[in-house]
Amino acid sequence: MRNQTSMRLIFELSRSGRGSTVLPPLDVPEQHVQDLLPPDSLADAPPPLPEVAEPDVVRHFTNLSTLNMAVDTHYYPLGSCTMKYNPKRNERLSSLPGFLHLHPYQDEETLQGLLQVLFELQQTLGEIAGLPAVTLQPAAGAHGELTALMIAAAYFRDLGQQRTKVLAPDSAHGTNPASARMAGFQTVTVKSTRAGFVDVDDLRAKLDDSVAVFMITNPNTLGLFDQQMSQIADWVHERGGLIYLDGANMNAILGIARPGDFGADMMHYNPHKTFSGPHGGGGPGAGPVCVRRHLGDYLPAPVVSRHGDRFTLEKLPPKSIGRVRSFFGNVGVLLRAYCYLCTHGPDGLRRVSENAVLNANYLLSRVKHFLPVPQGDRCMHEFVASASKLKKETGVTAMDLAKRLLDYGFHAPTVYFPLTVPEAVMVEPTETESKETLDAFAETLFRITGETAELLHEAPHSTLISRPDEVQAARKPVMRWTSE
Amino acid sequence: MQKEGITVNEEQLLYSSSHEWVRLREDEGGKVATIGISAFAVQQLTDLVFMELPEVGRQIAAGEEFGEVESVKAVSPLYSPVDGEIIAVNSELPDRLETLGDDPYEKGWIMKVRLTDESSLARLMDYSAYQKQCSEEG
Amino acid sequence: MSYLFNTPEDLQQMLEAIGVGSIDDLFACIPPSLRLDRPLQLPPAMGELELSRHMSALAASNRCAEDTICFLGGGSYDHFIPAVVDALASRGEFYTSYTPYQPEVSQGNLQAMFEYQTMVCQLTGMDVSNASLYDGGSAAVEAVLMCLSATRRDGNVVVPASVHPEYRQILETYLINLGTQLVTVPTDDGVVDPDALAAVVNDRTACVLIQHPNFFGCLEQVEAVGRIAHDAGALLVQAFDPISLGLLKRPGDLGADIAIAEGQSLGNPMIFGGPYLGIMACRDQFVRRLPGRIAGQTTDRRGRRCWVLTLQTREQHIRRDKATSNICTNQGLIAVRAAIYLSVLGPQGLRQTAEQCLQKARYAMQQIAASQRFEAAFAAPTFKEFVVRDTEDRVTQLLRDSCQHGILAGVPLGRWYPQWQDAFLVTVTEKRTRSEIDALAKVLADGGRAV
């Protein structure tokens, strides 16, 4: 039960001299610190961290946790984030001591069990993608994108081709153009049609020999599968470019269609989304990248190889782009993904996507009558409704709807993304929700659209805080606590 | 020379299509442009939280980006309407962003540019043409 | 299927409501030629019990720091993790929530982020911290990118060879696409010679990145290096070891403009390299170029103090191709663990941990060097790790033999430093006992042959 008595910061609980001793006494002969280190390298005092007793720490952080909505406690239909159930078995099995306490510089001979997991994960991700060469190193989706673009840069450098541009649709995640810039490319935006697909006339007008990569999210951020995909891939390939698939929406097509089969040359996964995370309040994630075999030589190292029944970590191959992260990558996240994939098998994965798409279409069929979905009657794993009409008629915005949903115990959908839909309300139900939950959500949303604008503008009403002043936070930023 | 404190008549200013205004005065045989952003633009940008000023002494071309204004969730680049050298910036402005809305054509000026080329002036709009553009956008 | 809800009856009702005959009809938008016409070639599904057996067997086939004595380091450390950290961070409200886009229902995460940021500032003596990056390596590269943008210089970046070799490899990977040269300064004595560094810093240098204590465990002359950088109009980035700050002067007190670290030491298991924690803090003047999420304090409509994500215009979802970084995800849960860890330790706990690392590492060095075969490779003072030279030059065999005796004795340096095939890095944390250190010294002195 939530304890509402304290919203104090841990620093405000601090009392000088309070604290917990955690270590046993020193058991080696003690020497004067001043004799061991140059006196001018030493601080006068340790950093001014809070001084609190262990029970204080427990109550403080436990109470903080109760101020969060989470998948474990609430329906969380946050579009584009795939907030599905986070299986408890994955938490337990990824935390077995034989995984948890492995040092990254141990000898391969002492790591065979782990390397087998990572090797099999590489194989599995390659099979689902239809792209056989895999790196597990990137630490997040955006990091995977960047890795793939750096692979493309190295590949074209190797071919002696000067390709300076990356094309990305206007509906793309912001990470796409930002990653392109970091990989040294210039981004050119390709328009979407009213129906939400790539405007092929615009694409063809912008496609020339200076284009290195076309980045596409398919199914796209509107939750639609772009049927022009293989035609687009042909055009890009004819001009010598590569297709990069943003795998954010893989939850819609597991075992149904493979990016490698529909034209992609490179892609990343978001295992924290598609393979059940968890999301950890914003991370850690991971961003494995799969590429066609001829691009495999450029992957960052190390990758895991099998020689007979032994697994080894391959050193840097000559064409490798190098490293994008220290050590191996976010192994803890990868172990959970492996458990998830083992739990499902080929049929199970297909059923995941079938049910994700079924749930999304069912919810769409219930919502579209009172909140228009501009891009049509069907969707894949998510859909984007628009509160535009509502706003014109009553002044109620997408944000108002989002905030009011919180009062009814639902996490809000993603709002104001993608940028191409005004007053966007992006709903991704996921497959791990029941029809009853979807019904309750649709009914609540309907009920909210009938509430007064005054009530909604000030929502939420039942939470500890409401409508924090973001202008104040940005104008005079306070980003740490100070004692005065 | 125009004295500070005299109410500026916005109908006498020139405007760019990207919503910067320009006030011209003669100075030691050359033209100096005082530049700001229009009341319409400030209103469209909603609550401003941050702005970045250019460096004094920098040479700038018409159409070139010289700074940015930010609201909580948007960044808007500012484009120079003229060619020349930046000779002054309103350094108090970033700490008093409300001035941009309260007094956009006087205390809300952003920079002064000594023109090196006057050809870009021909591309600027007068008040009525600018009002027409605003009504189309609004 | 374990995690699905829909019964055959639900399915029928849902299909009817949608107005289609079957689930297949929902996929009609994918042209048949683009669909997979066979099942995925993957092993069949495992139930929970089967999976538990499978994973347990694989885990058991590894040798880990729990069933050996671990003296490995080099950026990943076997420090003690108080039970409180796991107990609190494993609450579902922390680990199954997401980025705090709706502050009203994310105050727990936002306040924890704000507390983490404050603790990083307290730890480093810097003005402002972000809410975390992926790992120490990505923090290093992001700091360098900040410097390129803040100084408007893209000529070169200067790095001593004593900076973590993997961080330098990552920098190499990133900088090649930006046309910026990475200049590496040799560190033959285990530390960088400020004069040698000064010789390569010039008016095209964006920054100097120094690690202190460095990859070899040695203390560098950070202030002297900082003066060289600043005199040339470049910035100083310091990579630090968070535990060392229980004793050593803070980056903010040494003149660093940006401080970065691998934060794994702060309450996180080694787990073969990740997930870890990229710590990054800077001086106020660079805050608009700081990558990653930042929690800021404000008030709500009723005047109550609360927290939100702030300065979002820095980030990719708004600035898109003009963003200085593409970072979206942070390491929220790992940052929460670090905040819990630092709260439990407090200033005295951190000092005690740092002192024990120092004392035990020095004791270990003396015990190992007591054998004629080994000597300390460098004369510079060290913190919790040190490089040992094997005068018989049989490091690979020695370490393998030690492992057979249950001791992970060190990290061979030859893979990154070909000139030091005869050297290995030994790390001693507060967890190691005198008898474990004595066992290490003995197994090494015996050439790995017996304990």
Side-chain angles (χ1 to χ4, degrees):
Chain A
M1 185 182 165
R2 180 186 293 178
N3 176 345
Q4 299 215 9
T5 58
S6 176
M7 279 266 291
R8 280 183 292 175
L9 288 159
I10 190 126
F11 313 104
E12 294 160 347
L13 304 172
S14 176
R15 294 292 176 274
S16 179
R18 200 174 272 169
S20 322
T21 311
V22 288
L23 297 178
L26 188 68
D27 61 353
V28 301
E30 186 166 1
Q31 306 175 61
H32 284 294
V33 170
Q34 280 77 6
D35 296 341
L36 299 178
L37 297 176
D40 69 348
S41 69
L42 297 172
D44 299 333
L49 294 164
E51 297 178 71
V52 287
E54 184 169 318
D56 258 346
V57 177
V58 171
R59 198 167 285 164
H60 176 75
F61 283 98
T62 304
N63 284 332
L64 278 190
S65 77
T66 64
L67 301 177
N68 292 336
M69 270 192 181
V71 173
D72 275 3
T73 58
H74 292 84
Y75 178 46
Y76 212 127
L78 193 65
S80 125
C81 298
T82 317
M83 301 300 289
K84 61 170 76 176
Y85 169 64
N86 307 128
K88 302 304 156 193
R89 71 186 66 165
N90 301 356
E91 295 303 309
R92 176 197 275 180
L93 298 176
S94 62
S95 302
L96 293 169
F99 296 126
L100 214 52
H101 304 296
L102 295 177
H103 190 280
Y105 294 145
Q106 279 181 227
D107 192 285
E108 285 165 2
E109 290 307 306
T110 65
L111 298 167
Q112 288 298 308
L114 175 75
L115 295 183
Q116 182 181 333
V117 168
L118 298 174
F119 179 79
E120 289 178 9
L121 182 60
Q122 287 174 187
Q123 300 289 103
T124 301
L125 295 179
E127 165 67 4
I128 296 170
L131 296 166
V134 182
T135 173
L136 302 175
Q137 196 174 94
H143 203 211
E145 272 171 36
L146 176 61
T147 301
L149 291 172
M150 292 196 294
I151 288 170
Y155 170 70
F156 290 118
R157 221 172 8 245
D158 221 24
L159 294 181
Q161 295 180 8
Q162 290 278 334
R163 291 179 180 258
T164 53
K165 287 185 210 152
V166 162
L167 304 184
D170 51 11
S171 60
H173 291 119
T175 53
N176 286 187
S179 299
R181 174 187 156 127
M182 283 178 86
F185 293 108
Q186 180 203 342
T187 306
V188 177
T189 303
V190 176
K191 286 184 203 140
S192 300
T193 62
R194 194 177 288 267
F197 299 114
V198 174
D199 180 334
V200 290
D201 294 332
D202 194 49
L203 169 67
R204 297 193 75 183
K206 289 168 178 164
L207 189 59
D208 59 30
D209 296 343
S210 68
V211 172
V213 180
F214 179 54
M215 302 181 85
I216 184 167
T217 310
N218 198 22
N220 66 19
T221 49
L222 293 165
L224 304 172
F225 190 92
D226 199 325
Q227 305 193 1
Q228 313 165 101
M229 184 71 217
S230 64
Q231 178 65 68
I232 289 170
D234 287 346
W235 286 326
V236 172
H237 289 148
E238 274 164 26
R239 302 308 291 257
L242 297 171
I243 297 276
Y244 177 78
L245 183 110
D246 181 327
N249 298 333
M250 284 301 286
N251 211 43
I253 57 171
L254 298 170
I256 290 163
R258 307 195 306 169
D261 296 343
F262 59 69
D265 302 295
M266 312 183 284
M267 70 164 287
H268 81 264
Y269 286 98
N270 296 99
H272 47 293
K273 299 178 184 177
T274 315
F275 304 132
S276 75
H279 283 74
V289 168
C290 305
V291 298
R292 287 202 191 284
R293 200 170 294 284
H294 71 281
L295 296 170
D297 293 344
Y298 300 90
L299 290 175
V303 290
V304 184
S305 306
R306 181 164 64 190
H307 304 278
D309 59 354
R310 307 308 289 167
F311 298 92
T312 59
L313 286 164
E314 288 301 307
K315 309 228 164 51
L316 228 52
K319 288 183 175 176
S320 167
I321 59 165
R323 271 191 169 276
V324 295
R325 188 196 180 282
S326 58
F327 310 117
F328 189 85
N330 281 352
V331 173
V333 180
L334 300 170
L335 284 165
R336 287 169 175 81
Y338 177 81
C339 290
Y340 182 85
L341 290 162
C342 287
T343 298
H344 286 83
D347 298 340
L349 289 174
R350 196 184 159 97
R351 250 176 289 170
V352 162
S353 288
E354 287 175 349
N355 281 276
V357 172
L358 174 68
N359 280 3
N361 276 284
Y362 176 67
L363 194 52
L364 167 65
S365 77
R366 298 220 42 182
V367 166
K368 65 181 179 187
H369 306 294
F370 58 87
L371 207 59
V373 177
Q375 273 74 26
D377 277 352
R378 293 277 183 277
C379 63
M380 297 294 285
H381 63 300
E382 66 188 351
F383 63 90
V384 181
S386 169
S388 211
K389 186 158 163 274
L390 192 67
K391 187 181 173 190
K392 267 191 206 111
E393 290 167 3
T394 67
V396 169
T397 64
M399 187 59 84
D400 294 336
L401 296 179
K403 296 292 184 196
R404 185 61 175 152
L405 277 166
L406 308 177
D407 277 331
Y408 289 97
F410 294 106
H411 195 281
T414 297
V415 287
Y416 301 106
F417 182 82
L419 309 174
T420 46
V421 178
E423 296 296 317
V425 178
M426 186 188 207
V427 187
E428 181 176 9
T430 84
E431 73 282 5
T432 61
E433 298 294 339
S434 66
K435 178 172 172 293
E436 298 92 285
T437 300
L438 305 181
D439 285 336
F441 177 78
E443 280 152 24
T444 303
L445 194 56
F446 176 67
R447 183 167 157 192
I448 291 171
T449 57
E451 292 181 329
T452 66
E454 292 69 37
L455 183 75
L456 298 189
H457 290 329
E458 295 213 322
H461 299 273
S462 61
T463 48
L464 208 53
I465 64 142
S466 177
R467 305 262 178 166
D469 185 345
E470 297 190 49
V471 174
Q472 178 195 330
R475 258 190 200 163
K476 300 254 182 295
V478 177
M479 296 168 282
R480 67 183 162 115
W481 174 86
T482 48
S483 51
E484 60 271 2
Chain B
M1 190 174 166
Q2 192 166 11
K3 282 182 192 162
E4 304 295 335
I6 293 175
T7 309
V8 173
N9 186 348
E10 59 189 279
E11 294 180 21
Q12 288 168 357
L13 303 175
L14 295 172
Y15 297 86
S16 70
S17 58
S18 50
H19 302 286
E20 290 83 12
W21 57 257
V22 177
R23 187 171 71 219
L24 289 168
R25 68 178 162 83
E26 296 292 334
D27 175 71
E28 292 167 21
K31 278 200 171 71
V32 169
T34 301
I35 292 159
I37 48 178
S38 74
F40 175 82
V42 174
Q43 193 198 340
Q44 293 287 307
L45 292 167
T46 67
D47 296 310
L48 294 174
V49 296
F50 179 71
M51 85 175 296
E52 196 166 54
L53 293 172
E55 287 160 34
V56 173
R58 182 176 145 196
Q59 294 291 328
I60 194 151
E64 191 180 328
E65 196 176 316
F66 71 84
E68 280 179 349
V69 285
E70 296 183 3
S71 60
V72 172
K73 287 188 178 157
V75 184
S76 306
L78 303 172
Y79 299 101
S80 177
V82 297
D83 300 282
E85 181 192 341
I86 300 173
I87 55 167
V89 295
N90 186 352
S91 52
E92 288 174 7
L93 202 53
D95 294 325
R96 294 188 201 153
L97 287 171
E98 60 282 0
T99 312
L100 283 170
D102 296 346
D103 192 4
Y105 303 107
E106 187 67 30
K107 288 187 181 144
W109 68 277
I110 298 174
M111 66 169 179
K112 296 184 183 183
V113 175
R114 185 185 303 282
L115 303 196
T116 50
D117 181 346
E118 297 183 17
S119 60
S120 61
L121 297 178
R123 289 196 293 273
L124 299 178
M125 287 174 265
D126 64 11
Y127 181 73
S128 65
Y130 179 65
Q131 284 302 103
K132 188 160 172 280
Q133 179 189 323
C134 292
S135 65
E136 282 162 10
E137 284 181 24
Chain C
M1 279 303 105
S2 329
Y3 316 133
L4 299 179
F5 282 86
N6 295 329
T7 63
E9 197 185 359
D10 291 335
L11 175 65
Q12 274 322 309
Q13 289 175 3
M14 291 164 85
L15 290 173
E16 269 168 42
I18 299 165
V20 293
S22 71
I23 284 187
D24 267 357
D25 293 347
L26 295 174
F27 290 93
C29 54
I30 306 180
S33 62
L34 301 187
R35 283 192 233 171
L36 184 64
D37 56 4
R38 59 165 175 82
L40 289 169
Q41 289 170 0
L42 299 177
M46 287 185 214
E48 183 171 359
L49 183 58
E50 259 175 300
L51 181 66
S52 298
R53 281 197 199 109
H54 176 65
M55 293 300 281
S56 298
L58 288 167
S61 73
N62 299 318
R63 298 194 72 185
C64 72
E66 292 287 280
D67 47 49
T68 56
I69 307 170
C70 180
F71 292 95
L72 305 184
S76 173
Y77 301 105
D78 187 25
H79 286 289
F80 180 66
I81 303 172
V84 185
V85 178
D86 288 322
L88 295 173
S90 61
R91 288 186 63 88
E93 297 96 325
F94 278 130
Y95 82 83
T96 75
S97 58
Y98 198 28
T99 306
Y101 293 124
Q102 293 294 340
E104 287 92 341
V105 292
S106 314
Q107 282 299 300
N109 282 333
L110 284 161
Q111 187 177 331
M113 281 164 76
F114 184 79
E115 292 180 352
Y116 163 83
Q117 289 166 198
T118 303
M119 287 184 213
V120 169
C121 292
Q122 293 171 335
L123 198 58
T124 57
M126 305 300 283
D127 300 322
V128 51
S129 162
N130 69 12
S132 75
L133 297 171
Y134 308 140
D135 69 323
S138 62
V141 77
E142 291 287 342
V144 166
L145 296 178
M146 268 175 85
C147 294
L148 294 179
S149 133
T151 60
R152 298 187 187 172
R153 292 178 177 187
D154 59 2
N156 62 71
V157 168
V158 174
V159 188
S162 53
V163 168
H164 197 302
E166 294 191 352
Y167 296 5
R168 290 186 287 116
Q169 288 173 339
I170 299 167
L171 277 170
E172 196 102 45
T173 302
Y174 277 66
L175 292 181
I176 191 173
N177 295 310
L178 304 175
T180 301
Q181 197 192 351
L182 185 68
V183 179
T184 307
V185 186
T187 51
D188 296 339
D189 301 326
V191 289
V192 71
D193 170 6
D195 292 336
L197 184 125
V200 297
V201 171
N202 57 36
D203 62 1
R204 302 192 61 228
T205 304
C207 65
V208 176
L209 164 63
I210 191 154
Q211 184 174 348
H212 165 76
N214 68 24
F215 183 69
F216 312 122
C218 301
L219 307 197
E220 297 275 10
Q221 296 181 56
V222 179
E223 285 171 291
V225 169
R227 277 191 295 272
I228 293 165
H230 291 147
D231 286 350
L235 300 177
L236 179 70
V237 182
Q238 186 198 330
F240 63 95
D241 170 352
I243 299 294
S244 75
L245 297 178
L247 279 173
L248 299 180
K249 280 185 183 161
R250 305 179 295 175
D253 302 328
L254 294 174
D257 299 293
I258 304 173
I260 60 114
E262 175 50 71
Q264 176 265 335
S265 295
L266 305 176
N268 295 285
M270 298 188 291
I271 191 160
F272 199 61
Y276 283 2
L277 175 67
I279 296 178
M280 185 180 229
C282 67
R283 299 199 182 278
D284 264 333
Q285 71 212 77
F286 303 114
V287 64
R288 297 269 161 188
R289 302 181 199 276
L290 187 64
R293 297 182 183 130
I294 301 176
Q297 183 175 308
T298 187
T299 48
D300 80 342
R301 67 177 168 85
R302 305 174 189 120
R304 189 156 190 170
R305 179 175 71 173
C306 59
W307 290 273
V308 293
L309 291 178
T310 196
L311 302 186
Q312 293 189 61
T313 47
R314 295 166 300 116
E315 294 183 67
Q316 47 74 29
H317 64 277
I318 291 172
R319 206 169 278 258
R320 298 177 78 87
D321 64 335
K322 286 186 177 169
T324 45
S325 167
N326 71 337
I327 297 243
C328 176
T329 314
N330 64 7
Q331 304 283 296
L333 190 66
I334 314 295
V336 168
R337 292 182 67 99
I340 296 168
Y341 177 86
L342 288 171
S343 303
V344 177
L345 259 68
Q348 295 313 322
L350 186 70
R351 163 150 251 163
Q352 198 188 0
T353 303
E355 275 199 36
Q356 291 216 2
C357 289
L358 173 70
Q359 297 281 357
K360 290 178 175 185
R362 284 312 172 87
Y363 174 75
M365 184 150 90
Q366 286 151 8
Q367 297 307 107
I368 293 168
S371 159
Q372 294 272 313
R373 181 174 166 180
F374 303 106
E375 59 188 31
F378 307 120
T382 54
F383 173 55
K384 73 182 180 197
E385 26 198 348
F386 54 91
V387 176
V388 175
R389 184 164 288 136
D390 172 15
T391 58
E392 292 182 17
D393 194 8
R394 291 191 296 117
V395 169
T396 310
Q397 193 58 43
L398 180 73
L399 296 178
R400 198 159 281 171
D401 290 349
S402 305
C403 182
Q404 293 295 322
H405 290 96
I407 295 180
L408 306 176
V411 178
L413 287 191
R415 72 165 94 169
W416 302 291
Y417 302 92
Q419 71 275 32
W420 291 328
Q421 296 290 344
D422 60 347
F424 58 99
L425 180 70
V426 177
T427 302
V428 189
T429 69
E430 77 287 2
K431 268 177 84 173
R432 300 286 75 85
T433 63
R434 180 175 187 162
S435 66
E436 289 173 338
I437 297 168
D438 291 342
L440 167 72
K442 177 143 176 50
V443 87
L444 291 176
D446 293 346
R449 282 182 290 274
V451 179

